[in-house]
Amino acid sequence: MPNFDQRSRDLMNLQQLKRVQRFFVRLVLESFPIVISIYNRDFTVKNKADHTPVTEADSAVNNYLSENLKRVLPRIPVLSEETEDDLKRLTSKLCIIIDPIDGTKEFVEHIDEFTINLALVENGRPVCAVIG
């Protein structure tokens, strides 16, 4: 049975995770209009070095999420498919992972099977994730 101090720390951590989750949900929901505005018009598609597609939506959502995450959680490194790797994540207890458009091929083909993914990882294990 944990002592009172340990239980208090665990409750605080749970409260912090709940706040992070609410923040992540808000960010993902706020990203939808960005995605839809691009989805409903002609948009640019390029190929990354690995020959997978990347669109304006990938970049726009990535920028929106990254800017807001840096503003609110500036000490947590971010790993994203669309930006240069922040190597601080390798020595950090926490890391945020962004996949701005998971299913870019489907997005390009106008198949409604793509998501915006955002996760918080602690010591290599996901502790909070939002898929929208």
Side-chain angles (χ1 to χ4, degrees), residues 29-46:
L29 289 174
E30 290 173 353
S31 297
F32 289 156
I34 298 168
V35 172
I36 297 306
S37 70
I38 295 169
Y39 188 75
N40 288 331
R41 64 171 172 76
D42 290 335
F43 52 85
T44 305
V45 180
K46 297 179 181 176

Side-chain angles (χ1 to χ4, degrees), residues 17-30 32 65 96-100 102 115-120 126-132:
L17 280 175
K18 286 181 179 181
R19 283 196 301 270
V20 168
Q21 183 181 33
R22 284 192 298 272
F23 176 56
F24 281 12
V25 167
R26 192 188 88 211
L27 286 180
V28 169
L29 289 174
E30 290 173 353
F32 289 156
L65 294 174
I96 296 171
I97 300 175
I98 300 172
D99 188 349
D102 185 20
T115 60
I116 300 167
N117 302 335
L118 191 55
L120 176 66
V127 293
C128 177
V130 175
I131 300 170

Side-chain angles (χ1 to χ4, degrees), residues 2 12 28 47 51 55 75 85 105 107-108 118 123:
M12 182 62 158
V28 169
N47 283 315
H51 305 291
T55 69
R75 293 189 175 128
D85 193 358
K105 290 177 187 175
F107 184 88
V108 169
L118 191 55
N123 295 321

Side-chain angles (χ1 to χ4, degrees), residues 79-126:
L79 173 64
S80 173
E81 289 189 357
E82 310 310 332
T83 55
E84 189 174 321
D85 193 358
D86 182 349
L87 297 179
K88 288 184 256 175
R89 72 178 175 80
L90 298 173
T91 57
S92 177
K93 178 180 175 183
L94 297 171
C95 177
I96 296 171
I97 300 175
I98 300 172
D99 188 349
I101 303 289
D102 185 20
T104 300
K105 290 177 187 175
E106 289 76 9
F107 184 88
V108 169
E109 296 176 17
H110 283 84
I111 299 170
D112 297 340
E113 295 179 5
F114 55 88
T115 60
I116 300 167
N117 302 335
L118 191 55
L120 176 66
V121 175
E122 181 178 29
N123 295 321
R125 299 183 73 167

